[in-house]
Amino acid sequence: MASIAIVVAIYNGEATLDQCLASIETQSIPPSQLIVMDGGSKDGTVEILSRRSGMFSYWESRPDGGIYDAWNKALSHLTADWVWFIGCDDCLADAEVLSRMAALLDKTEAAVGLVYGKVAMVARSGRVSDVIGRPWADVRRRMQYSMVIPHTGLLARRALFERVGEFDAQYRIAGDYDWFMRAAAESGVRFTDDLLVNAGDEGLSGASETQVRTVREFGLICERQGRRRSLGWRWLLLKCQVKARLRAPLGAGGQGLVVDLFRSLTLRRPRGAGR
């Protein structure tokens, strides 16, 4: 059966780390490897890692250059067939996720090196505010200018890193998008209609502070990979700029109501519906 390594990158993740690790520990089959890269946390993260150290194939706690640098450092410790990068505020959706994915990957043709599923965004209330992840045929065009595949629900063949290289750590936000597009040019992509992860949803206020910078980084990556900044990218940037500007006069709550109204008018589920 296909072997799966899980990589968790952390910095000051004390509040959510135990829950994340518990969701891995309770899987009906364990991951082949569990690698944890902590960026030198100053809270209680290291104490949690020390207490749970028996779970890990490898872990370290030292300063790094950000999440993509941490992921790159983890690559040298990988031996499994597939690798899955998740965050410390993410939890595997149920106890059979690894079992189902191992069986699916075992049957996946060699030409496919990227497999992803659905991710539920879970609000602080514990309710699901959104579910992201759609079939590759539906999102392939949008991927030309933005990351619409949930990276925390993506598994990649380890061999792909040998072919396309590691993550580009110069990017602060969209390095996963840069790597995915390089990898997708060399590999087939497969979608599974399976909920894989419950991810922490920081909400609209947190997202609005970084969305504009994220989209600008998408544009930079497009240009460096030989694609123009399309009309789709410009429309996405405009929407993010409007949301960011709404937050100042309306506050996070008012901003959320406007965004939810827009989503309803465009026949999409309001993000705030699960809060």
Side-chain angles (χ1 to χ4, degrees):
M1 187 169 288
S3 57
I4 300 172
I6 294 179
V7 175
V8 183
I10 314 168
Y11 182 70
N12 288 343
E14 176 185 20
T16 58
L17 179 58
D18 251 330
Q19 187 176 9
C20 170
L21 295 177
S23 77
I24 299 171
E25 187 176 39
T26 56
Q27 291 294 300
S28 62
I29 64 168
S32 298
Q33 294 178 278
L34 176 56
I35 297 170
V36 180
M37 309 299 290
D38 175 55
S41 292
K42 307 300 183 185
D43 61 358
T45 293
V46 174
E47 287 75 8
I48 295 172
L49 294 176
S50 297
R51 171 165 46 84
R52 288 184 171 272
S53 61
M55 291 179 62
F56 311 136
S57 308
Y58 176 82
W59 75 279
E60 68 174 50
S61 179
R62 64 184 68 179
D64 55 43
I67 187 169
Y68 304 118
D69 182 43
W71 286 357
N72 286 338
K73 290 179 180 180
L75 293 176
S76 64
H77 301 283
L78 293 175
T79 58
D81 302 322
W82 294 79
V83 57
W84 192 350
F85 297 93
I86 68 173
C88 68
D89 58 348
D90 300 327
C91 294
L92 301 188
D94 62 73
E96 299 299 325
V97 166
L98 277 178
S99 177
R100 293 195 303 273
M101 289 307 297
L104 175 67
L105 297 175
D106 200 43
K107 300 174 184 175
T108 298
E109 53 270 34
V112 174
L114 299 161
V115 176
Y116 70 98
K118 292 181 177 179
V119 171
M121 306 305 296
V122 182
R124 286 186 292 271
S125 66
R127 299 186 64 188
V128 173
S129 60
D130 204 4
V131 176
I132 55 178
R134 295 172 57 194
W136 180 236
D138 295 346
V139 301
R140 188 169 186 168
R141 290 186 62 185
R142 288 182 61 196
M143 283 293 294
Q144 293 300 306
Y145 60 87
S146 67
M147 183 68 169
V148 291
I149 285 177
H151 81 83
T152 194
L154 171 69
L155 290 84
R157 286 192 193 271
R158 178 171 56 89
L160 263 181
F161 289 93
E162 299 171 2
R163 290 164 56 188
V164 304
E166 59 185 21
F167 297 97
D168 190 336
Q170 72 175 306
Y171 298 117
R172 309 306 299 171
I173 306 170
D176 53 336
Y177 172 66
D178 169 70
W179 185 86
F180 180 91
M181 293 305 291
R182 287 189 280 126
E186 302 288 336
S187 167
V189 182
R190 179 176 182 178
F191 169 73
T192 176
D193 190 20
D194 191 355
L195 180 63
L196 305 183
V197 173
N198 294 322
D201 185 354
E202 294 298 323
L204 290 165
S205 60
S208 67
E209 296 171 0
T210 59
Q211 279 183 343
V212 173
R213 287 191 292 124
T214 301
V215 176
R216 290 191 186 280
E217 205 161 275
F218 289 156
L220 179 61
I221 290 168
C222 286
E223 289 189 344
R224 288 177 174 172
Q225 293 185 353
R227 299 187 303 278
R228 291 187 297 177
R229 301 191 186 205
S230 65
L231 289 176
W233 176 84
R234 296 179 190 281
W235 173 238
L236 178 62
L237 177 63
L238 177 62
K239 288 192 294 183
C240 292
Q241 289 173 328
V242 169
K243 283 196 289 184
R245 290 172 182 170
L246 284 174
R247 188 170 185 267
L250 299 180
Q255 177 207 40
L257 290 174
V258 173
V259 172
D260 281 348
L261 175 61
F262 178 79
R263 290 178 66 88
S264 296
L265 291 174
T266 54
L267 304 180
R268 291 179 295 166
R269 180 184 181 187
R271 287 272 305 189
R275 290 186 173 84

